[in-house]
Amino acid sequence: ITRNQFRSRSGIICHATPEVVAAGAVVVAGGAAILWASGSEERAKRAQYAEWEARDEEERLERARLAYMEPRETWKESELSEFDGTQDENGPLLFSAGGRVFNVWKGRHFYGPGCEYHIFAGRDATRLLAKSQLEEETDEERALPLNIGQRAALEGWLWTFKNKYEIVGHLEGYNPKDIEM
C-alpha cells in the first residue's frame, strides 16, 4: 500500500489523497448542517405550539376551578336561578333535566347569557328539552303530559348531558314518573 492508499475493513484498497478525504468530510458535515438547519424552523414551530397548548391547558384548568360546583344531594328549582350565568360569567352554569342537576359550564357557548340555549340555564329545562322548544310553554301546554316521542327525545338529551357534563345533584320534588317511557 502506498502513501495515498488505505485498506478498508472489508479489505478493499482505496486510493485517496488527504485533500479528497478532507473535502469529503466537509461535504458530509455541510450536508448534516443543512439538514439540521432546515429542521430548525419546524422545531421552533413545535416549541411554539407546545407553549400555546400549555397556556390553553392552564386557562382551561382555571375556568374549571372557577366554575366548580360542590355536588349536593338535592337542589330546589329556585336555587338554580342564581346559576344561570348572568351574575358570574365564569362561575357554574346549572340546569336540571330529568330530575338531575347538571353543571354545564363547559357548554357556556351554548347556555350562557345571549346564547341560543340560555333559556335552559338556571331552571328545570326538562319539558323544554323534551319538546325541543326554545320558548316558554303556555299554561295549557304545561298541563299536558309529555307524549312518547317527547319522552324519547328527552332520553337522548339526558344521555348526551350525562356523558358531557357533571351531575351536581338532583332536583327536589321531581317526579320521575313524568318522563317514564
Side-chain angles (χ1 to χ4, degrees):
I1 298 180
T2 64
R3 198 178 88 143
N4 293 339
Q5 296 177 338
F6 63 91
R7 189 176 300 271
S8 69
R9 288 184 184 163
S10 62
I12 298 173
I13 297 176
C14 297
H15 302 276
T17 63
E19 294 83 13
V20 171
V21 172
V26 168
V27 168
V28 168
I34 289 171
L35 286 174
W36 184 84
S38 67
S40 66
E41 186 177 313
E42 185 64 29
R43 283 189 301 279
K45 282 182 184 177
R46 281 194 202 126
Q48 182 67 52
Y49 290 142
E51 182 182 322
W52 289 337
E53 287 175 357
R55 191 173 44 228
D56 284 348
E57 180 65 11
E58 286 175 16
E59 290 172 2
R60 188 193 66 74
L61 290 172
E62 179 62 11
R63 284 193 310 269
R65 186 188 68 75
L66 293 172
Y68 177 75
M69 174 56 65
E70 184 73 33
R72 305 182 193 175
E73 187 66 32
T74 59
W75 290 81
K76 294 179 181 166
E77 188 170 356
S78 60
E79 294 174 316
L80 298 179
S81 63
E82 69 181 89
F83 300 103
D84 68 352
T86 57
Q87 296 176 22
D88 182 359
E89 67 181 32
N90 295 312
L93 195 56
L94 306 182
F95 70 70
S96 173
R100 294 173 191 88
V101 177
F102 297 93
N103 184 354
V104 296
W105 71 270
K106 292 177 187 175
R108 189 171 302 280
H109 54 287
F110 295 124
Y111 307 108
C115 297
E116 187 172 3
Y117 302 116
H118 180 69
I119 190 169
F120 302 145
R123 66 182 303 167
D124 179 13
T126 302
R127 292 183 60 84
L128 295 176
L129 288 163
K131 293 180 169 193
S132 299
Q133 193 168 319
L134 298 175
E135 298 161 356
E136 294 290 344
E137 288 183 293
T138 65
D139 290 335
E140 295 83 32
E141 291 172 325
R142 216 173 281 118
L144 298 173
L146 296 175
N147 65 38
I148 191 75
Q150 293 165 337
R151 291 174 190 211
L154 178 62
E155 286 301 317
W157 282 112
L158 292 174
W159 184 87
T160 298
F161 297 146
K162 286 185 229 176
N163 288 293
K164 193 171 183 180
Y165 304 119
E166 294 174 63
I167 297 174
V168 294
H170 293 85
L171 189 62
E172 184 178 273
Y174 186 79
N175 184 359
K177 291 192 184 277
D178 291 344
I179 62 166
E180 281 182 351
M181 291 292 282

